[in-house]
Every structure is written in C-alpha cells, then in structure tokens.
Amino acid sequence: MASLQDLSLEQLRALTVKTFRRGGGSRPDVLLIRADGEEAVLKDFSQADPWFRRLVGPLSVRREARALRQLDGARGVPRLLRVVNRDALLLEYVPGTSAREVPPGGLTPLFFERFYRLVDRLHEFGVAHCDLRSQGNILVGADGEPHVVDFTAHFRRPRPWNVAARWMYRKFCEADWVAVARLKRSHAPELLTESERQALARDRKTLIERAARFIGKSVRNISRWLLTRRQ
Ligand SMILES: Nc1ncnc2c1ncn2[C@@H]1O[C@H](COP(=O)(O)OP(=O)(O)OP(=O)(O)O)[C@@H](O)[C@H]1O
Ligand SMILES: [Mg+2]
C-alpha cells in the first residue's frame, strides 16, 4: 500500500468510491477508497460534531488502533494499515457484505463453525470484541469466511492479578460467543443447538447483562446528547 501511506486525510477522502456509512453527530464516516487499484477503508471522525470530534473521536481512533495492533495477523480481522491522524484510521478492505445485509437462510453451518473459531482466535490474541451483537460488525467475505470489524468497544485481557477485570473479561468473552448464537437465531434458527438455546435464554435473563446493556445505552445516549449538536 505504498501509495496510500503518504497521503493526507483530505487526499484520501478525495479517493472515495463508496460510502459504507455517512458520519456526523457522534459517528465517523466509513469510506471505501481506491488509488491505483489499491483499496482500503477509511474510518474518519473529522465530520463528526465538534465536541465529539475533539474528545471521543481521538479516543476511539486510539482504542481501535490498539486492538488492531494486538490482533495483527489474526485471520478474519482487517489489518491496520495506518493511523492517518487523530481523527482517522486506514484499514485493510474486506470485500463482501455485512451480515445485516445477508437474507435469512443465507448463512451455512460451516460459516457458523468458522465464526466460533474466529471468536476463539480473538480471545487467544487477548481481545474481546464486545460489540458483535451489531450485525453490521460481522462481515461475510467474498470468500464466504467470517470477518469482524469495529473494535471501538473492545476489552483487552487484563493481567492475571487483576481479578475483577479478569472476571469482566470472561463475561465479555461469553457475550462474544452468545453473539454467534444470536446471529444463528436470526439467520438459521434451525441450526441452534440445545446449549446455544440455553445460552440465549440465560443471556436474556441475567441481571448483569441487563444492567450492562442499560448502562451502555445510557452512557451512549448521554454522551451523544452532551457532545453532539442538537437537531
Ligand atoms: N475493513 C472493512 N472492510 C469492508 N467493509 C468494512 C470494513 N470496515 C467497515 N466496513 C463497513 O462499514 C460499516 C461500518 O463500519 P464500522 O462498524 O466500523 O463503523 P461504525 O461507526 O461502528 O458503524 P455502525 O454504527 O453502523 O456499526 C460496516 O458495517 C461494514 O459494512
Ligand atoms: Mg459498527
């Protein structure tokens, strides 16, 4: 990717050939860019609302870069090509579609098997993804293989002595596994095993999950309300 290495954010944005998601508010632009036959994905907070851009954007960029560096070489995870500046990252492009766009029945038993293997691999590298509930973060590659993107919410494996954080990390790893079962439930419920059904039922019921979800939603809503321009 030599030619993409030296370009400024503006130059990279000028090479956009597709918009995966338009930024603004609290969100980054996610753009496919192409130059001399090379493709890459630009995740760029520069168009987010001013406070969000100043505070949360750089934090998200740093966090995601740190996770991707730790996962460098893990199959099914796009490589970090470059941190462009405090607003933006450049990632390897994974051709394919997001699981959100795959119609029901479109995913095979082999896909789910590989997806479990991918989730295990993330954890072997010491990273829990924490946002696999969002099907937009799961990609079905043109090769039929699962890939995951968007590591903004990840949680890294803490040191062994940090018992409380270790416990949380295990919970987040469990949530990643349950996310595979959730995808199965929405795309191929007939493939669910008994233990997956039980995990899904537990997932709904546990107080901690509900509390975590409530806190997560509230934090997101409050920070969005505080940091973004009112419509
Ligand atoms: N490396 C990549 N290769 C191919 N497509 C990608 C890549 N990264 C992101 N995308 C596409 O862009 C979309 C949004 O990316 P991402 O999830 O990182 O941003 P986001 O701000 O969290 O968006 P959302 O809120 O929709 O999840 C993904 O659903 C996917 O379709
Ligand atoms: Mg996402």
Side-chain angles (χ1 to χ4, degrees), residues 138-194:
I138 305 164
L139 306 185
V140 185
D143 51 5
E145 292 260 347
H147 299 257
V148 290
V149 295
D150 192 3
F151 284 84
T152 323
H154 79 277
F155 192 88
R156 285 183 308 149
R157 184 169 49 218
R159 305 230 177 261
W161 49 262
N162 197 341
V163 179
R166 276 271 175 168
W167 180 82
M168 280 178 61
Y169 175 70
R170 276 198 301 278
K171 290 286 158 199
F172 287 128
C173 289
E174 279 169 28
D176 283 353
W177 288 317
V178 174
V180 184
R182 288 169 69 93
L183 184 70
K184 216 186 229 189
R185 184 174 58 191
S186 75
H187 281 69
E190 70 287 357
L191 297 178
L192 282 171
T193 64
E194 190 46 40

Side-chain angles (χ1 to χ4, degrees), residues 12-231:
L12 289 167
R13 289 184 63 92
L15 298 170
T16 302
V17 291
K18 178 176 171 178
T19 301
F20 291 112
R21 73 138 38 244
R22 174 140 324 279
S26 61
R27 300 297 197 167
D29 280 326
V30 184
L31 309 168
L32 175 62
I33 59 165
R34 189 180 295 144
D36 299 331
E38 295 176 319
E39 289 175 316
V41 170
L42 184 67
K43 193 163 175 178
D44 171 21
F45 282 88
S46 68
Q47 308 302 307
D49 275 0
W51 280 104
F52 213 92
R53 176 185 176 186
R54 232 161 278 160
L55 299 176
V56 183
L59 209 74
S60 303
V61 166
R62 274 212 303 275
R63 268 183 68 72
E64 185 150 20
R66 197 162 51 196
L68 291 173
R69 282 194 192 107
Q70 183 155 337
L71 287 161
D72 192 38
R75 184 168 160 193
V77 178
R79 268 182 321 122
L80 174 67
L81 300 177
R82 212 185 129 193
V83 175
V84 180
N85 60 19
R86 63 204 299 273
D87 291 325
L89 294 171
L90 197 62
L91 311 169
E92 179 187 359
Y93 169 54
V94 179
T97 48
S98 91
R100 197 186 278 156
E101 293 148 340
V102 174
L107 297 176
T108 62
L110 182 61
F111 177 87
F112 288 106
E113 212 176 283
R114 287 175 170 166
F115 192 13
Y116 272 119
R117 250 184 272 153
L118 170 51
V119 167
D120 284 343
R121 203 173 306 135
L122 301 181
H123 300 165
E124 278 156 24
F125 275 73
V127 176
H129 185 286
C130 302
D131 196 14
L132 293 177
R133 283 165 188 275
S134 166
Q135 293 188 4
N137 294 337
I138 305 164
L139 306 185
V140 185
D143 51 5
E145 292 260 347
H147 299 257
V148 290
V149 295
D150 192 3
F151 284 84
T152 323
H154 79 277
F155 192 88
R156 285 183 308 149
R157 184 169 49 218
R159 305 230 177 261
W161 49 262
N162 197 341
V163 179
R166 276 271 175 168
W167 180 82
M168 280 178 61
Y169 175 70
R170 276 198 301 278
K171 290 286 158 199
F172 287 128
C173 289
E174 279 169 28
D176 283 353
W177 288 317
V178 174
V180 184
R182 288 169 69 93
L183 184 70
K184 216 186 229 189
R185 184 174 58 191
S186 75
H187 281 69
E190 70 287 357
L191 297 178
L192 282 171
T193 64
E194 190 46 40
S195 69
E196 285 172 330
R197 279 180 214 285
Q198 284 169 9
L200 287 166
R202 273 199 307 278
D203 181 51
R204 256 203 315 275
K205 283 190 199 129
T206 46
L207 201 62
I208 179 147
E209 283 287 344
R210 271 188 292 185
R213 221 166 298 154
F214 175 75
I215 293 168
K217 252 190 223 160
S218 310
V219 168
R220 262 197 310 278
N221 289 341
I222 291 169
S223 59
R224 220 167 272 161
W225 183 75
L226 287 173
L227 298 174
T228 63
R229 211 183 301 125
R230 315 281 133 71
Q231 304 296 314

